[in-house]
Amino acid sequence: MLEAGADLSPFIDFETASRAVLALLRQRLGFNLWMMTRTDGNDWVVLQVEDHGYNVKEGSVFRWADSFCSQMVLGRGPRIAPCAKEVPSYAEAPIGRQVAIGAYIGVPIKKADGSLFGTLCAIDPTPQDESIQRDLPWIELVAKLLGTILADEMKSVELARQLEQAQQAALLDPLTGFLNRKGWDQRIVTEEARSRRYGSPACVLIVKLDIQEPFNDVGDNTPDESQIRKAANCILKARRQTDIVAHFGDGEFVILGVECDAAGGEEMSNSIRKALVSSDIAASIGVASRDPSQGLLAAISIAKLAVSKSKV
C-alpha cells in the first residue's frame, strides 16, 4: 500500500508560495533568518519572514542601500557568502554593523519586465561551510518560479482593478463621476490588502477647495457645482489612469496614487496644483506616502493634517 505523500495542491497566491519556500529553505539550509523582500526607492520592505533569532517582523522597513542584497544586485558580492566578512562589499555594508551576519544568501526576484521586484535572502550569525555553494542553482530556480507566480498574480491584480472600476457605478458621486465616500472606503480596504501583500508603494493626496469668499449666488460658503466640476476636471487631467479619486462633497477630493512612491506623489501634487492655478481655483493640498508599518489609513490622516499647511 502506498503511503500518502505531501500535499501537491497549487499555491493560492504569491504570499502563500513565499511562506512555503521560506519554510523549506530554513528546513534544508538552516540560517536564522529568511526573508522575501521588496525594494521601493530607498526602502527595503520585508513581506514574508521566517525568523529564528533576529526579531525581524513582516512590514519592517530597512534602508536598501545599507543591505547586502543591494550590493549583490549591483554585482559587488556573491549570491552565497559562507563567510560574509571575507567579501569586502559585505564587510563594509552598514547592515553588518547593526546585526550579526556571519553568512549570507541572496537572489533577486524579477518582475515580468525584468526589473527588480525584491530579493529572496537569508542571514545567519555564524559562518557556514563552503558546501552550501552547491545549493545556489536550485535556490535560483525557486526564485525564478516565485517571479513567475508574481508576474501572473500582478496581471490578475490589474485585471481585478479594471473590473472594480467597471462595477463601481453605484459608488460614484453624480456631480464629478469620481467615487463617493462609500466607494472610496471599499477601495482603500482592497488596496491596503494589496500593498501589504506585495509591498507596493502608495500615496494619498487630499485637495480641499479654499473658502475665502462666497462661492455662489446665494452668498454662502458652499462651493457651487461649476467650481467643483472645474476642480474635478483639473484633477482628472493631472492624475494617472491607475489612480483612484473620490469626491466627498463641499469641494473635498481624495486621490490614492496606486503603485506610487513619495516622488510620484509630489509630482502628482505639483501637477494638480498647476492645473488648479491655471483655472483660478484656490485650494489646499496635503500629500502623504504609505508607511508599510502603518498602512493607508495612517497616510490619510497625515495628508489631512498637511492640507492646512499648503496653499495654492
Side-chain angles (χ1 to χ4, degrees), residues 7 42 47 65-66 86 112 115 131 137 144 177 225 228 264 271 276 296:
D7 181 7
N42 294 325
L47 299 183
D66 292 348
E86 293 180 356
S115 61
S131 62
K144 288 182 181 179
E225 291 186 359
I228 292 174
S271 296
L276 292 172
L296 283 174

Side-chain angles (χ1 to χ4, degrees), residues 10-22 35-38 45-48 107-111 117-120 142-157 194-200:
F11 294 115
I12 60 173
D13 54 29
F14 175 74
E15 179 182 356
T16 305
S18 295
R19 294 189 190 283
V21 164
L22 296 182
M35 300 189 299
M36 177 63 64
T37 72
R38 175 166 184 166
V45 185
V46 179
L47 299 183
Q48 290 86 41
V107 292
I109 302 293
K110 298 292 186 69
K111 299 179 184 177
F117 172 82
T119 60
L120 169 64
V142 167
K144 288 182 181 179
L145 292 173
L146 286 173
T148 301
I149 295 172
L150 174 68
D152 287 343
E153 194 164 323
M154 294 306 289
K155 289 179 183 177
S156 297
V157 167
R194 288 168 178 157
S195 289
R196 286 200 309 270
R197 176 172 294 172
Y198 306 113
S200 50

Side-chain angles (χ1 to χ4, degrees), residues 43-284:
D43 291 338
W44 190 35
V45 185
V46 179
L47 299 183
Q48 290 86 41
V49 64
E50 181 81 16
D51 185 12
H52 297 265
Y54 279 96
N55 196 33
V56 173
K57 307 297 183 183
E58 294 180 0
S60 297
V61 182
F62 302 96
R63 274 179 47 86
W64 170 243
D66 292 348
S67 68
F68 285 14
C69 284
S70 67
Q71 299 300 309
M72 176 272 296
V73 167
L74 291 171
R76 297 171 181 169
R79 292 180 175 178
I80 293 185
C83 185
K85 69 179 181 180
E86 293 180 356
V87 180
S89 62
Y90 294 163
E92 296 170 2
I95 194 72
R97 294 190 290 274
Q98 300 171 25
V99 296
I101 305 177
Y104 165 77
I105 296 174
V107 292
I109 302 293
K110 298 292 186 69
K111 299 179 184 177
D113 62 3
S115 61
L116 183 67
F117 172 82
T119 60
L120 169 64
C121 58
I123 57 175
D124 193 87
T126 305
Q128 304 292 307
D129 190 86
E130 289 287 336
S131 62
I132 65 171
Q133 300 275 12
R134 296 195 299 264
D135 290 302
L136 181 58
W138 78 269
I139 296 174
E140 292 174 332
L141 177 60
V142 167
K144 288 182 181 179
L145 292 173
L146 286 173
T148 301
I149 295 172
L150 174 68
D152 287 343
E153 194 164 323
M154 294 306 289
K155 289 179 183 177
S156 297
V157 167
E158 182 56 35
L159 290 174
R161 285 188 176 126
Q162 293 174 9
L163 180 60
E164 289 161 2
Q165 290 177 349
Q167 293 176 334
Q168 64 189 19
L171 304 174
L172 297 182
D173 168 47
L175 181 59
T176 64
F178 295 150
L179 289 174
N180 57 27
R181 186 178 293 274
K182 182 178 179 181
W184 169 263
D185 290 343
Q186 289 185 8
R187 292 298 298 275
I188 285 295
V189 171
T190 302
E191 293 300 332
E192 171 60 22
R194 288 168 178 157
S195 289
R196 286 200 309 270
R197 176 172 294 172
Y198 306 113
S200 50
C203 65
V204 175
L205 289 86
I206 296 179
V207 179
K208 180 69 175 178
L209 302 189
D210 289 339
I211 301 174
Q212 298 175 348
E213 57 185 31
F215 271 93
N216 52 38
D217 294 336
V218 297
D220 64 29
N221 284 333
T222 301
D224 61 30
E225 291 186 359
S226 64
Q227 287 285 331
I228 292 174
R229 286 198 182 99
K230 283 176 62 179
N233 190 52
C234 291
I235 293 171
L236 188 63
K237 292 179 179 179
R239 65 132 190 194
R240 304 170 309 163
Q241 187 65 34
T242 56
D243 296 330
I244 298 166
V245 187
H247 176 236
F248 288 172
D250 293 335
E252 182 178 5
F253 298 85
V254 287
I255 304 105
L256 175 64
V258 176
E259 297 282 347
C260 183
D261 59 15
E266 289 297 332
E267 182 178 350
M268 193 192 314
S269 175
N270 290 335
S271 296
I272 292 173
R273 184 176 286 109
K274 290 178 181 178
L276 292 172
V277 168
S278 67
S279 297
D280 295 322
I281 298 174
S284 300

